[in-house]
Amino acid sequence: MTRAQATTDLHADIVDQAIAWLVKLRSGMLDAPSQARLLAEIAQWRQAAPEHDAAWLALQASEQGFDSLRNLPPEQALRTMHTVQQIRHARQGRRKVLRVLGLSVVGAGACVAMQRPVRDWAQGSLADYTTAIGERRMIALPDGTQIHLDTDTAIDVRYTDAQRVIVMHRGRMFIRTGGDIDHADVRRRFIVHAGATRLEALGTQFFVGRENDQTRLHVTEGRVAIRQVDATDDLIAMPGQSYQIDAAGRITMLYPLDQDAYAWLDGVLIAKQMRLSEVTAQLARYRRGWLRCDPAVADLRVSGVFQLDDTDRALASLVQALPIAMVSHTRYWVTLKPLPPV
Amino acid sequence: MLTPRHSSPQHPVHVLYSDHHGWLLAWLRKRLGNAGDAADLAQDTFVRVMGKTAELPTLREPRAWLTSIAHGLVVDHVRRQDIERAYEEVLASESASCHVSPEIRLMALEALYALDVLLEGLKPNVRLAFLMSRLEEMSYPDIARRLQVSLSSVEKYMATAIRHCYEFRRMHASGS
C-alpha cells in the first residue's frame, strides 16, 4: 500500500465515524443526559486528531444550505420541496407510460381494463395542475376554492379579473367553490370548461370527470348550469343529480345514483357485488401500465373496500378471495386469470 | 449584444450564430414547449459561448457543443420553474390573505433552488427523510412512522444524505 492510499483510506474511516456521530446526534431520540454524554464523546474525538476536527467541521459546513431556509416557515419549505418532486414525478410518469403503451400488444380475447388513445395522454401535458397515475392531490386557490384531483388528472386554472375558469383536460375532480371574498365587491363567476361544454357553478360542490371527450357531472351541493355552445337554454343540475355529456353535446341524466363512485375522494374504492372486470378497470386508473382481467373471470362478483394508495394490496386480497391467479408478465403488465385446474 | 470586436461577419462567434442559432432555437423550443423561454435560453447559450471563444477553432461538432451548453441551461431553467411553481402552489394552499413580500419570495426561491441542487441524486425517501429531519427537526421514529419504514432504514437514509452533502461540498468547494 502506497503512502497516498493509506492517507485516503484513513480519511474515509474518519468521515464515516463523523457521520455516525452526526446521525446519532440528530436522531431526536436522546434525553438530556444522553445528549450531553454524546457531545462530550464527540468533543473528545475531535480533540484526538486534527483530521477528526476537520472532518466534523466539513460535515457541518456541507449542510449550510439549510441555514438560508431558516427564514421560511419550516412546513412551507418542506411542502415546497416535496411538491417539486411530485411535479417531476408527474412529468416522468407520463413519459414512462407512453413508452409502455407503445410496446404492449393487445391479445385477442382478453378484456383490456385500461386503454387510452395516445392523444389523450399528450393532451394536458403542459397543464397547470396534473396528478401522476396513482396520485391524488388537493389544491386550494386564493379565492377559497378547493379542488381535489383524482389520479391522472390535468386541469388549467385561468383566473382573471372578470371570472374564474377551470379548464378540465382529463381525469376526475371534486370542486368546492370558494366565496371569492377578497376580490373587489363582486364574486366572480365560476365556470368549468370541459371540451365544448361550460359548467357554471354557484356556491357549489360538484364532481367533474372527463375521459375520451365524455364529461360527467355530479352535484352534491348548490347548482350547476350545463351550457352547450349552440344551445339556447342552460340545463340546471341540482344536488344529487348526475349527468353525462358526450362528445356531440348530448346530455343524459344518469340513473341510479352511485354514491360509491365518489369514494375516491376518501382514497378508497367501494365494491358492492361489483363485477371483477369493473373493479380491475377502476384499480387500473391508479396503476401505471396495464391491468387486465380475463373474460373467463370478468363476471365474478366482488364486495369490499380497497385502498387506492395500495393497489398491490387490493390485488392480493382479490387473489385471496376469488378463484383467480395474478400473472405479472412484466412489472407494468398484470393479468387476472382463472386458477389453473388442479 | 455583440461588441465591436465581434461584429466582423468573419468572427467565429458570428459565424456560429448565423449557422446554428435557428437550429438551436428549434431544439430548445422542443424541449421547453415555449418559444419565449427558448429564445431567452438561446441567447444565454451564446453569451456562454462568448466566454469560451478559445474552444471555437478546434470545434469539430458545433451543434453537439452548443447543445451540451444549452442542456445545462435547460436543466437549470426547468428546475427554477418547478421550484417556483411548487412554491406558488404551497403559498396558495395556505391562508388566502397571507402575502409574501417580493424580497422574501426571491430569497426563498434562491434558497430552495440551492437546496434542490444540493439534494440532486438522492432517492425520494432519502431526500424526504433528510428534509423532515433538517427542516422540521422531526425525530427518527416520527419519520419512520410517516414514511412507513423501519427506524434502521431512517438511520441509513440519514447517513446516505449526510455523506451525499459532504461529497457535494468537496466537489464544489473552491480552494480548501
Side-chain angles (χ1 to χ4, degrees):
Chain A
M1 194 195 310
T2 66
R3 193 146 184 269
Q5 266 179 313
T7 315
T8 315
D9 290 340
L10 189 62
H11 190 245
D13 283 346
I14 295 175
V15 175
D16 283 343
Q17 175 66 81
I19 292 177
W21 286 133
L22 189 54
V23 169
K24 215 166 167 192
L25 192 61
R26 303 294 223 108
S27 64
M29 302 193 299
L30 303 167
D31 59 17
S34 307
Q35 176 116 352
R37 259 196 308 274
L38 182 60
L39 285 169
E41 271 187 85
I42 293 172
Q44 203 174 35
W45 178 78
R46 285 173 69 183
Q47 279 154 20
E51 292 89 3
H52 293 189
D53 195 47
W56 185 258
L57 291 173
L59 284 193
Q60 301 286 67
S62 68
E63 292 195 32
Q64 253 161 21
F66 290 95
D67 293 337
S68 45
L69 282 165
R70 297 256 176 272
N71 298 317
L72 277 184
E75 207 214 285
Q76 202 178 76
L78 181 62
R79 285 180 66 204
T80 304
M81 296 303 287
H82 186 53
T83 305
V84 171
Q85 287 298 80
Q86 288 182 316
I87 290 170
R88 286 177 181 144
H89 194 57
R91 223 173 14 231
Q92 284 157 14
R94 254 189 307 279
R95 286 195 207 123
K96 237 186 209 161
V97 184
L98 269 172
R99 281 200 291 272
V100 170
L101 284 178
L103 293 169
S104 298
V105 174
V106 180
C111 109
V112 179
M114 179 178 106
Q115 190 167 30
R116 298 159 197 265
V118 178
R119 180 187 66 94
D120 201 346
W121 285 103
Q123 206 175 33
S125 58
L126 297 171
D128 292 340
Y129 293 96
T130 54
T131 44
I133 294 178
E135 178 193 0
R136 286 171 300 109
R137 191 146 78 118
M138 195 275 276
I139 297 162
L141 299 171
D143 65 326
T145 295
Q146 287 179 340
I147 306 182
H148 294 255
L149 301 178
D150 194 11
T151 175
D152 194 30
T153 298
I155 67 170
D156 285 338
V157 174
R158 303 207 186 133
Y159 278 27
T160 65
D161 270 335
Q163 58 183 10
R164 300 169 285 172
V165 170
I166 307 288
V167 179
M168 176 116 209
H169 294 292
R170 66 162 188 276
R172 298 181 190 177
M173 62 177 176
F174 174 68
I175 297 182
R176 259 195 202 101
T177 57
D180 207 18
I181 49 177
D182 286 337
H183 180 85
D185 301 315
V186 181
R187 182 171 53 197
R188 289 168 292 177
R189 296 168 69 184
F190 188 100
I191 306 169
V192 174
H193 292 200
T197 309
R198 302 285 174 264
L199 305 168
E200 178 153 6
L202 191 69
T204 312
Q205 295 182 15
F206 57 105
F207 290 87
V208 183
R210 183 157 174 78
E211 199 166 15
N212 298 336
D213 280 336
Q214 307 253 26
T215 302
R216 280 201 177 193
L217 167 71
H218 175 76
V219 182
T220 57
E221 207 178 276
R223 297 184 301 171
V224 174
I226 305 174
R227 188 172 307 137
Q228 300 289 80
V229 181
D230 46 10
T232 46
D233 286 323
D234 293 348
L235 194 153
I236 309 293
M238 310 289 286
Q241 290 181 340
S242 289
Y243 289 91
Q244 176 157 297
I245 303 124
D246 70 11
R250 280 183 296 261
I251 306 173
T252 349
M253 194 180 222
L254 300 172
Y255 292 113
L257 218 46
D258 184 6
Q259 301 285 20
D260 293 341
Y262 306 104
W264 63 262
L265 201 52
D266 295 320
V268 294
L269 167 68
I270 300 175
K272 289 175 185 156
Q273 291 297 302
M274 196 183 277
R275 293 173 70 236
L276 182 62
S277 57
E278 177 61 20
V279 174
T280 49
Q282 290 305 316
L283 289 177
R285 297 178 60 244
Y286 298 86
R287 291 176 69 86
R288 305 223 202 117
W290 299 87
L291 173 61
R292 297 150 58 172
C293 140
D294 194 291
V297 292
D299 288 326
L300 290 176
R301 298 284 165 170
V302 178
S303 294
V305 177
F306 302 98
Q307 300 289 330
L308 294 171
D309 288 334
D310 194 349
T311 53
D312 284 335
R313 183 141 55 110
L315 291 174
S317 64
L318 286 173
V319 167
Q320 250 196 341
L322 300 170
I324 57 174
M326 187 170 105
V327 179
S328 300
H329 306 277
T330 70
R331 221 190 120 199
Y332 288 112
W333 187 0
V334 172
T335 315
L336 297 179
K337 290 178 121 61
L339 272 177
V342 179
Chain B
M1 182 183 92
L2 296 174
T3 68
R5 190 159 44 95
H6 294 131
S7 61
S8 156
Q10 311 309 326
H11 192 281
V13 176
H14 202 123
V15 172
L16 202 71
Y17 192 93
S18 54
D19 282 351
H20 305 296
H21 177 264
W23 178 85
L24 183 66
L25 197 58
W27 188 89
L28 286 167
R29 246 203 316 266
K30 203 165 68 159
R31 267 152 193 77
L32 299 172
N34 176 319
D37 289 344
D40 287 342
L41 289 198
Q43 291 298 82
D44 287 345
T45 305
F46 278 95
V47 169
R48 290 275 170 101
V49 165
M50 304 274 239
K52 294 179 191 243
T53 50
E55 295 179 47
L56 290 179
T58 51
L59 213 51
R60 231 169 286 202
E61 304 281 341
R63 290 194 171 176
W65 187 69
L66 284 173
T67 54
S68 70
I69 298 173
H71 176 76
L73 293 171
V74 169
V75 169
D76 202 59
H77 175 83
V78 171
R79 189 195 302 277
R80 286 192 191 275
Q81 265 189 336
D82 288 348
I83 286 170
E84 191 170 335
R85 190 177 140 189
Y87 187 61
E88 295 298 328
E89 265 189 47
V90 170
L91 284 186
S93 73
E94 293 172 355
S95 159
S97 57
C98 175
H99 295 287
V100 177
S101 77
E103 295 84 14
I104 291 189
R105 184 176 177 276
L106 202 62
M107 269 174 26
L109 290 175
E110 283 300 318
L112 291 164
Y113 173 85
L115 187 58
D116 194 58
V117 171
L118 173 67
L119 302 178
E120 171 90 46
L122 286 180
K123 291 206 169 72
N125 257 5
V126 176
R127 173 188 159 111
L128 198 49
F130 190 51
L131 288 171
M132 284 176 172
S133 165
R134 295 301 190 259
L135 290 179
E136 288 217 0
E137 289 174 52
M138 280 175 74
S139 71
Y140 296 172
D142 285 342
I143 296 174
R145 256 191 298 277
R146 274 256 224 126
L147 297 180
Q148 303 214 298
V149 297
S150 67
L151 185 60
S152 63
S153 288
V154 175
E155 283 163 352
K156 290 199 189 96
Y157 293 167
M158 293 304 162
T160 302
I162 294 170
R163 176 168 282 287
H164 176 95
C165 292
Y166 170 76
E167 295 295 342
F168 179 90
R169 188 169 181 273
R170 267 183 68 200
M171 273 203 297
H172 291 85
S174 52
S176 71

